[in-house]
Amino acid sequence: MAVKKLKEGIHWVGAIDWDRRLFDELIPLPDGTTYNAYLVEGSDKIALVDTVDPSKTGELLDNLQELGVRRIDYIIANHAEQDHSGSIPDVLAIYPEALVVTNEKCKAMLMDLLEIPDNRFRTVADGASLSLGDRTLEFIFAPWVHWPETMLTYLREEKLLFSCDFLGSHLAQSEPLLWDEAHAYQSAKRYYAEIMMPFRSNIRKHLQRLRALSLDMIAPSHGVVYPRPEFILAAYEEWTSDKVANKVLIPFVSMHGSTREMVDYLTGALMQKNIPVLPCNVVRADIGDLAKELVDAATVIIASPTVLSGPHPAILYVTYLANALRPKFKFASIIGSFGWGGRMLEILTAQLGNIKAEILEPVMVKGYPKPADYQALDKLAEAIAEKHRSIGILN
Ligand code: FEO
């Protein structure tokens, strides 16, 4: 691995996980990820901002060796999750004078998770600063992006924000500062959807606080570094706003073709009304892609056949995840098929407790769709168009 210079005396010393394809045994990582750690050298003190996943400790230590780092005074722990904190015990062992600088809540978690002894910590308050001599670190508490203890670290003289998980992306690449803007945008949106979306209202408050800072660079702990902070701040303001796009997402499963026929018909009817629509077979879908579409879709239509007495388990799984992610879609409905009855509507509706969307008239079909069923789907398409017009996203 190689260190990367961001500015004079500030180096990326993290690790790239090119092959990782799943995070938390849940989140797909089509582009791998990075664990970004940064070394900040002041005239008096040296700080390491975050560490890396335990599986990559060797790469972090190699990078510190490559830079000839003989002393680390402070290890800034912005977040206790192990992909950033996991190497702290090894760094403490090699640099015996180093103190872990973090907040009380994070300290307690690090003691629980990594058994770091009490005497290796220095705790800081929200807004506190720490001098490195000619450089100053300021600490900004940012709970619930996505854990309760998370903080951000602002390097005052360089106007550089180390934002930890916040504003990050799962994107492995060798140059933290050189990247394709369109790809970076999509990666950051997907990451927001999977990790940050449930905390939308907290994030809005944190964004307001960041807007009060003078920022020249944002360096998260995953993915690319932003030399133009406006790129990611504006994107987050859009995603966390109440605005939705003229878009319908249809997560679906079909076993014998009836539900698929309904989905295809509804897709066509919506296209004729100039409503962008994305049918998504959840059995084959990457759930990260699905989550990304939930960031701004105005309407979600869940489509499932009946299995035993309820929805297909694959739809139940996706509905559970969607409910946990708390997306902001405003309208929803359920369509599907059954052979001899069942409780699909009841079960799916109960799964959506966190969702504040207005529920449009569901369409349930016995067997294969018949003329009256197609009419019901036409009616649903028109209801969606009317709702989209009513909030000004469709002419
Ligand atoms: Fe990237 Fe919450 O850890």
Side-chain angles (χ1 to χ4, degrees), residues 138-159:
E138 295 178 6
F139 305 104
I140 301 165
F141 288 13
W144 299 115
V145 293
H146 57 135
W147 279 22
E149 87 307 359
T150 309
M151 65 181 199
L152 321 177
T153 298
Y154 179 61
L155 181 55
R156 187 192 294 160
E157 292 76 10
E158 306 293 340
K159 302 178 182 174

Short mmCIF file of all heavy atoms in Angstrom, two decimals, residues 138-159:
data_model
loop_
_atom_site.label_atom_id
_atom_site.label_comp_id
_atom_site.label_asym_id
_atom_site.label_seq_id
_atom_site.Cartn_x
_atom_site.Cartn_y
_atom_site.Cartn_z
N GLU A 138 -10.59 20.59 16.04
CA GLU A 138 -11.84 20.90 16.77
C GLU A 138 -12.79 19.71 16.62
O GLU A 138 -12.86 19.11 15.54
CB GLU A 138 -12.49 22.16 16.19
CG GLU A 138 -11.65 23.41 16.40
CD GLU A 138 -12.30 24.64 15.77
OE1 GLU A 138 -13.45 24.54 15.28
OE2 GLU A 138 -11.64 25.68 15.76
N PHE A 139 -13.53 19.45 17.67
CA PHE A 139 -14.39 18.26 17.68
C PHE A 139 -15.86 18.67 17.64
O PHE A 139 -16.31 19.52 18.41
CB PHE A 139 -14.07 17.40 18.89
CG PHE A 139 -12.62 17.04 18.94
CD1 PHE A 139 -11.75 17.68 19.83
CD2 PHE A 139 -12.09 16.13 18.04
CE1 PHE A 139 -10.40 17.38 19.84
CE2 PHE A 139 -10.74 15.82 18.04
CZ PHE A 139 -9.88 16.46 18.94
N ILE A 140 -16.55 18.06 16.72
CA ILE A 140 -17.97 18.39 16.50
C ILE A 140 -18.76 17.11 16.70
O ILE A 140 -18.62 16.16 15.92
CB ILE A 140 -18.18 18.91 15.06
CG1 ILE A 140 -17.32 20.15 14.82
CG2 ILE A 140 -19.66 19.18 14.79
CD1 ILE A 140 -17.19 20.52 13.34
N PHE A 141 -19.56 17.06 17.74
CA PHE A 141 -20.35 15.85 17.98
C PHE A 141 -21.46 15.76 16.92
O PHE A 141 -22.15 16.75 16.64
CB PHE A 141 -20.98 15.86 19.38
CG PHE A 141 -19.98 15.65 20.49
CD1 PHE A 141 -18.61 15.73 20.27
CD2 PHE A 141 -20.41 15.36 21.79
CE1 PHE A 141 -17.68 15.54 21.30
CE2 PHE A 141 -19.50 15.15 22.82
CZ PHE A 141 -18.13 15.25 22.58
N ALA A 142 -21.61 14.57 16.39
CA ALA A 142 -22.63 14.36 15.34
C ALA A 142 -23.33 13.03 15.59
O ALA A 142 -23.16 12.07 14.84
CB ALA A 142 -21.97 14.38 13.96
N PRO A 143 -24.11 12.95 16.67
CA PRO A 143 -24.76 11.68 16.98
C PRO A 143 -25.71 11.23 15.87
O PRO A 143 -26.31 12.05 15.20
CB PRO A 143 -25.53 11.98 18.27
CG PRO A 143 -25.62 13.46 18.36
CD PRO A 143 -24.44 14.01 17.63
N TRP A 144 -25.77 9.93 15.71
CA TRP A 144 -26.69 9.28 14.77
C TRP A 144 -26.33 9.55 13.32
O TRP A 144 -27.20 9.82 12.50
CB TRP A 144 -28.15 9.64 15.08
CG TRP A 144 -28.50 9.17 16.45
CD1 TRP A 144 -28.83 9.95 17.51
CD2 TRP A 144 -28.49 7.81 16.92
NE1 TRP A 144 -29.03 9.17 18.64
CE2 TRP A 144 -28.83 7.85 18.30
CE3 TRP A 144 -28.23 6.58 16.35
CZ2 TRP A 144 -28.91 6.70 19.08
CZ3 TRP A 144 -28.30 5.44 17.13
CH2 TRP A 144 -28.65 5.51 18.47
N VAL A 145 -25.02 9.46 13.03
CA VAL A 145 -24.62 9.34 11.63
C VAL A 145 -23.63 8.17 11.49
O VAL A 145 -22.61 8.35 10.89
CB VAL A 145 -23.97 10.64 11.10
CG1 VAL A 145 -24.91 11.79 11.00
CG2 VAL A 145 -22.73 11.05 11.91
N HIS A 146 -23.92 7.10 11.90
CA HIS A 146 -25.14 6.41 12.19
C HIS A 146 -25.20 5.78 13.59
O HIS A 146 -26.15 5.08 13.92
CB HIS A 146 -25.35 5.30 11.16
CG HIS A 146 -24.16 4.31 11.16
ND1 HIS A 146 -24.36 2.97 11.14
CD2 HIS A 146 -22.82 4.50 11.23
CE1 HIS A 146 -23.15 2.36 11.16
NE2 HIS A 146 -22.23 3.28 11.20
N TRP A 147 -24.17 6.02 14.40
CA TRP A 147 -24.16 5.55 15.79
C TRP A 147 -24.31 6.76 16.72
O TRP A 147 -24.06 7.90 16.30
CB TRP A 147 -22.85 4.81 16.09
CG TRP A 147 -22.78 3.37 15.64
CD1 TRP A 147 -23.53 2.77 14.67
CD2 TRP A 147 -21.88 2.36 16.13
NE1 TRP A 147 -23.17 1.46 14.53
CE2 TRP A 147 -22.15 1.17 15.40
CE3 TRP A 147 -20.88 2.33 17.09
CZ2 TRP A 147 -21.46 -0.03 15.62
CZ3 TRP A 147 -20.19 1.13 17.31
CH2 TRP A 147 -20.48 -0.04 16.58
N PRO A 148 -24.62 6.51 18.00
CA PRO A 148 -24.90 7.65 18.89
C PRO A 148 -23.67 8.42 19.34
O PRO A 148 -23.78 9.52 19.88
CB PRO A 148 -25.58 7.00 20.09
CG PRO A 148 -25.11 5.58 20.10
CD PRO A 148 -24.91 5.21 18.66
N GLU A 149 -22.47 7.83 19.16
CA GLU A 149 -21.26 8.43 19.74
C GLU A 149 -20.41 9.18 18.72
O GLU A 149 -19.36 9.72 19.07
CB GLU A 149 -20.43 7.32 20.39
CG GLU A 149 -19.44 6.58 19.49
CD GLU A 149 -19.98 5.99 18.19
OE1 GLU A 149 -21.18 6.09 17.92
OE2 GLU A 149 -19.17 5.46 17.42
N THR A 150 -20.84 9.20 17.48
CA THR A 150 -19.96 9.68 16.41
C THR A 150 -19.64 11.16 16.55
O THR A 150 -20.49 11.97 16.93
CB THR A 150 -20.63 9.42 15.05
OG1 THR A 150 -21.03 8.06 15.01
CG2 THR A 150 -19.67 9.71 13.90
N MET A 151 -18.39 11.51 16.25
CA MET A 151 -18.02 12.92 16.18
C MET A 151 -17.21 13.16 14.91
O MET A 151 -16.73 12.23 14.25
CB MET A 151 -17.24 13.35 17.41
CG MET A 151 -15.90 12.69 17.59
SD MET A 151 -15.09 13.26 19.12
CE MET A 151 -13.38 12.80 18.78
N LEU A 152 -17.10 14.41 14.53
CA LEU A 152 -16.33 14.82 13.36
C LEU A 152 -15.16 15.64 13.88
O LEU A 152 -15.23 16.23 14.95
CB LEU A 152 -17.19 15.68 12.42
CG LEU A 152 -18.66 15.27 12.24
CD1 LEU A 152 -19.37 16.27 11.32
CD2 LEU A 152 -18.77 13.87 11.69
N THR A 153 -14.08 15.68 13.10
CA THR A 153 -12.90 16.44 13.51
C THR A 153 -12.56 17.46 12.43
O THR A 153 -12.41 17.10 11.26
CB THR A 153 -11.71 15.48 13.75
OG1 THR A 153 -12.05 14.59 14.81
CG2 THR A 153 -10.47 16.27 14.15
N TYR A 154 -12.46 18.69 12.86
CA TYR A 154 -12.22 19.80 11.93
C TYR A 154 -10.81 20.35 12.15
O TYR A 154 -10.46 20.71 13.30
CB TYR A 154 -13.26 20.89 12.19
CG TYR A 154 -13.15 22.14 11.35
CD1 TYR A 154 -13.27 22.09 9.96
CD2 TYR A 154 -12.97 23.39 11.94
CE1 TYR A 154 -13.20 23.24 9.19
CE2 TYR A 154 -12.90 24.55 11.17
CZ TYR A 154 -13.02 24.46 9.79
OH TYR A 154 -12.94 25.60 9.03
N LEU A 155 -10.03 20.36 11.11
CA LEU A 155 -8.67 20.91 11.19
C LEU A 155 -8.75 22.39 10.79
O LEU A 155 -8.87 22.72 9.60
CB LEU A 155 -7.74 20.12 10.26
CG LEU A 155 -6.28 20.53 10.24
CD1 LEU A 155 -5.65 20.53 11.62
CD2 LEU A 155 -5.50 19.60 9.31
N ARG A 156 -8.75 23.23 11.81
CA ARG A 156 -9.13 24.63 11.64
C ARG A 156 -8.29 25.37 10.58
O ARG A 156 -8.84 25.97 9.67
CB ARG A 156 -9.01 25.34 12.98
CG ARG A 156 -9.53 26.76 12.97
CD ARG A 156 -9.11 27.50 14.24
NE ARG A 156 -9.72 26.96 15.44
CZ ARG A 156 -9.23 27.16 16.68
NH1 ARG A 156 -8.12 27.85 16.86
NH2 ARG A 156 -9.84 26.68 17.73
N GLU A 157 -6.98 25.28 10.68
CA GLU A 157 -6.12 26.09 9.81
C GLU A 157 -6.23 25.66 8.35
O GLU A 157 -6.05 26.48 7.44
CB GLU A 157 -4.66 26.00 10.26
CG GLU A 157 -4.37 26.66 11.60
CD GLU A 157 -4.86 25.85 12.81
OE1 GLU A 157 -5.24 24.68 12.64
OE2 GLU A 157 -4.85 26.41 13.93
N GLU A 158 -6.52 24.40 8.12
CA GLU A 158 -6.61 23.90 6.73
C GLU A 158 -8.05 23.85 6.23
O GLU A 158 -8.29 23.46 5.09
CB GLU A 158 -6.03 22.47 6.66
CG GLU A 158 -4.63 22.33 7.19
CD GLU A 158 -3.60 23.05 6.36
OE1 GLU A 158 -3.89 23.35 5.18
OE2 GLU A 158 -2.52 23.35 6.89
N LYS A 159 -8.99 24.20 7.09
CA LYS A 159 -10.42 24.14 6.73
C LYS A 159 -10.78 22.74 6.20
O LYS A 159 -11.46 22.59 5.19
CB LYS A 159 -10.76 25.21 5.71
CG LYS A 159 -10.45 26.61 6.20
CD LYS A 159 -10.75 27.64 5.14
CE LYS A 159 -10.38 29.03 5.67
NZ LYS A 159 -10.52 30.06 4.67
#
